[in-house]
Amino acid sequence: IKNGNITSAPLNGTGGNPSGRGFFNGIEFSTGFGAEVEPSNILVSQVLVYGGASRGIYLSSNSGSSNIVTHCSVRKTGSSGIIADEVHFSSAIDCGGDGIWTRNLVSHSIGKSIGNSYGIFCNGPVSDSIGTSVTGTGIYGSVVSNSSGSGSKSIEASIAVACKTFGTQVITNKY
């Protein structure tokens, strides 16, 4: 999926409680309607999603699907902004849930949660990124490098290298 805009009517409300007219999700896989298997090896690039009561871009929640989002922008969603296996050079701003949620890798990206969620959540490494959350964690990752986080917990990581934090930090090893 490449080069497009998905725009919804403006939504009111914050923290996952949107109201008003507009679509529910921007781009999302579905296992309903007879689909038995999640899609894999999907690339979403150069897409803008604005608004939506729930998710902006939702490609995968299971391991091994290799779904990638790159050079995309999501703004003002009621729930998560971007969910994929990898996210690069992308942003998810003013999301009621997690800004960016990935299983494997985040690089050169910005995630902002306006609720009690993660700006960026990644089970793997996060590099050259910015994560903010109003009352949650700015960035969560195994190894976080050259990044900045702010929130009630700025950065949660086993290892953090050359990071800026604004708030409480939970880092096992700092370099």
Side-chain angles (χ1 to χ4, degrees):
I1 301 170
K2 184 175 179 180
N3 195 20
N5 295 316
I6 301 170
T7 303
S8 176
L11 298 171
N12 301 315
T14 60
N17 297 307
S19 63
R21 300 190 313 181
F23 60 78
F24 195 71
N25 295 307
I27 297 172
E28 179 175 19
F29 81 88
S30 175
T31 55
F33 307 108
E36 299 286 329
V37 180
E38 277 191 27
S40 62
N41 300 315
I42 304 295
L43 174 65
V44 176
S45 177
Q46 300 171 348
V47 172
L48 166 68
V49 177
Y50 181 86
S54 189
R55 301 174 179 125
I57 300 172
Y58 178 46
L59 296 183
S60 175
S61 58
N62 291 330
S63 61
S65 55
S66 301
N67 295 321
I68 299 172
V69 173
T70 183
H71 295 89
C72 290
S73 178
V74 173
R75 293 204 50 142
K76 295 187 179 282
T77 60
S79 185
S80 300
I82 300 172
I83 299 174
D85 292 302
E86 294 183 16
V87 176
H88 307 280
F89 298 97
S90 296
S91 63
I93 308 293
D94 296 337
C95 302
D98 299 330
I100 296 172
W101 188 100
T102 71
R103 182 173 311 285
N104 299 329
L105 176 66
V106 175
S107 70
H108 302 89
S109 295
I110 299 170
K112 180 180 179 186
S113 171
I114 57 172
N116 186 23
S117 296
Y118 296 94
I120 296 174
F121 178 94
C122 181
N123 284 323
V126 176
S127 67
D128 303 294
S129 296
I130 299 169
T132 63
S133 179
V134 173
T135 57
T137 299
I139 298 176
Y140 176 94
S142 60
V143 176
V144 179
S145 62
N146 300 315
S147 298
S148 68
S150 65
S152 62
K153 292 181 186 170
S154 56
I155 295 178
E156 288 186 72
S158 296
I159 299 172
V161 179
C163 292
K164 293 181 182 177
T165 60
F166 305 93
T168 304
Q169 46 186 289
V170 181
I171 300 170
T172 306
N173 298 295
K174 296 184 229 181
Y175 300 98

